[in-house]
Amino acid sequence: MVMAALFAVAGVLFAGQGTASAAGSALSKPTQQCLGCHSAKGLEKKLANGETLSLHVDGSAFAESVHNMIGCAVCHADVTLENHPPLKTKIASIRENSLELTKVCRSCHADKFKLYEGSIHAALLRDGVSVAPVCTDCHSPHSIRAKAARESIADVPCRNCHGSIYDAYADSVHGKARSKSGNAGAPICADCHRAHDVSAATTGDQLKNACLGCHQGALAAHQTWLPNAELHFEAVSCPACHAPSAKRKVDLRLYDNVAKERVAEKAGVPQFESRARSADAKGVGLDAMALQSLLREFNREGIDNKTTLRGRLEVSTGAEAHQLADKTQAIQDCAKCHRHGADPFQSVTVSIVGPDGRPLRYGAQQEVLNSMISVDSVGGFYAIGGTRIKLLDILVALALLSGIAVPVGHLTLSWLFRRYAKKIGGQEDS
């Protein structure tokens, strides 16, 4: 048995020895022995399901990888010359092999696994999405280099799944700065989305904070020309202005006023879509009354007005969010939004955070933004004349006038009373 295995090794040793030698003395002798076969191009294994698993390892790439010091045996501890190839090992599919290899990665990279377990990728995998990325989908274990996320944009593994988004990024001001200007500090995927604990992009403040992390003077720069700049930063996503060709929309987010966070769907207890469909009896999108009915459902078992709506102006797709242009092309015309019938306010959704961290959205009619019932959706960034809710403008104006009229009326009455009292007092003295 042992002799047969050794003859098998010797049979292909010559074919791969050139590549193995190219790896040089950076590799241990046992590893070079492995590469004597596995550096041969075309080495592969037919699986029972008909797939072909490549067994080729580029010796030079492995010599330059971060794993070159540990060699082959640490990760492939079940393989020795005496039992190789392991006859009892049956691989059902390439995917099963990848999932099995992640257990090996975990033995050394427990900290990264902890981050990954909280990511959107891990959530998708738990939900049964078989193509959700695992370690080997993003990292080739035989050629991974230190700080892999800082490699050229052409090598980022994200493009394998997010092709349209990658194309948009590559043509953006960030992508061009990195590829054409040679600016290695320009942001790449992991800089904004993080490498292992990737979260759903549109559910929190992560991306806004990522923008401000690099553009630290952005708020001060906007305050020189943009009224209520801080409110705009809260209620308007950066791409809404910095991706000028993108289509924009309003997302009305269900918000927990007590917990001070977005309302999230509980795992295993889907309520949002069923409640939204129940409120939208005609199936044409939530109108003002249906939206009010939906809010009542979420407030039924709890504090009144605990759940409200917070409006946010966003771009329509993930690809558009990456079409960031040079700042000289950013939208600075207030009338783009603050006019009757503005395009960004023609598309409306209502959303909640799903169990896996991604937003769950339900369509709403544009008229909900013109109804008094929708006051909560615009309360966080309200300005008279800026919301297109005319009745709300009138009522707020009346409230302001009332607020001014009360103290003015009080002072006027006090002045008249004092004058009258003084007059009465003068008559009594005479």
Side-chain angles (χ1 to χ4, degrees), residues 115-127 132-133 198:
L115 293 173
Y116 172 80
E117 287 298 320
S119 73
I120 182 64
H121 291 156
L124 291 173
L125 193 65
R126 288 191 294 268
D127 286 345
V198 182

Side-chain angles (χ1 to χ4, degrees), residues 205-252:
D205 290 331
Q206 174 192 328
L207 293 186
K208 183 186 75 172
N209 293 337
C211 295
L212 296 179
C214 290
H215 303 282
Q216 297 179 1
L219 178 58
H222 283 73
Q223 286 175 329
T224 62
W225 66 272
L226 180 64
N228 298 315
E230 290 188 30
L231 290 179
H232 279 87
F233 271 45
E234 289 296 323
V236 181
S237 69
C238 299
C241 295
H242 290 272
S245 62
K247 183 179 180 180
R248 289 169 289 281
K249 67 176 183 180
V250 174
D251 185 42
L252 304 180

Side-chain angles (χ1 to χ4, degrees), residues 36 65 170 172 258 269 303 308 348:
S65 76
S172 72
V258 176
V269 190
I303 306 169
T308 57
V348 185

